Amino acid sequence: MDLCSVDFKTCLGAPVPPGNIPLAKTHLPYHILEEHAKRDTKIIVGFRNPKDNLVSMYHFYRTAFPLGNFTGTFDEFFTLFKDKHLMYGDIFDHNVGWWSIRDRPNTMYVNYEDLNEDPVKEVRRMAEFLGKEVSDEDVIKIVNWVTFGNMKDEKSTNYDEVGFLDSKISPYMRKGTVGDWKNYLNEEQSKYIDEQYEKTCGPVGLEYRFEL
């Protein structure tokens, strides 16, 4: 949906096929999709801890042509983050926005860290939420198919054919680990995110796991 026109009639300049679309994914903030969320639609919201999320965004900015192939340092990128000059806005505002519909029927939350730690459990949770009956064999097949290694080798999950990413700078599927932020954030930067976390997420009960 991120690559669609504001009326969702075209995507990457091509017309969106007529009829109902059974599945759509997006990084857009809640306030843009608020009217859509009022429908009786099942929504799965994916969260990742903001420190690892920021590192991932840094490398995406480096490799994405539409974002100018950012050539600055991580410290310079962190300044953009603090000044709320990143695409999709502030990470905390974004997550708190989607967290605000936690009492909405047909809404589910999945944390990236939980997927890393116990993918079988999370796949079962999502299948149950979607009303899908899956066997133990089906679950194992799904888990094996969506391992980071498989997705990194699969062209369809790397946007290789879209043409707006330069994988020579940084692959779209880079590491997929939890805690890589420790290799990027200095003590001051880590403390700043901790403070913002307590300020914005603490009051509404939104929690992250920064390491496993």
Side-chain angles (χ1 to χ4, degrees), residues 82-94:
K82 289 179 66 176
D83 292 341
K84 299 188 177 186
H85 288 163
L86 297 182
M87 178 177 61
Y88 304 122
D90 180 73
I91 292 175
F92 293 104
D93 291 343
H94 185 279

Side-chain angles (χ1 to χ4, degrees), residues 170-184:
S170 179
Y172 179 73
M173 302 290 292
R174 196 177 57 87
K175 282 189 176 181
T177 57
V178 177
D180 190 39
W181 60 268
K182 297 177 183 178
N183 297 316
Y184 291 83

Side-chain angles (χ1 to χ4, degrees), residues 144-161 167 171-175:
N144 288 337
W145 175 249
V146 298
T147 60
F148 189 84
N150 281 342
M151 294 183 70
K152 188 170 185 176
D153 293 336
E154 176 59 46
K155 286 186 176 182
S156 64
T157 54
N158 275 280
Y159 295 95
D160 283 350
E161 298 177 359
S167 59
Y172 179 73
M173 302 290 292
R174 196 177 57 87
K175 282 189 176 181

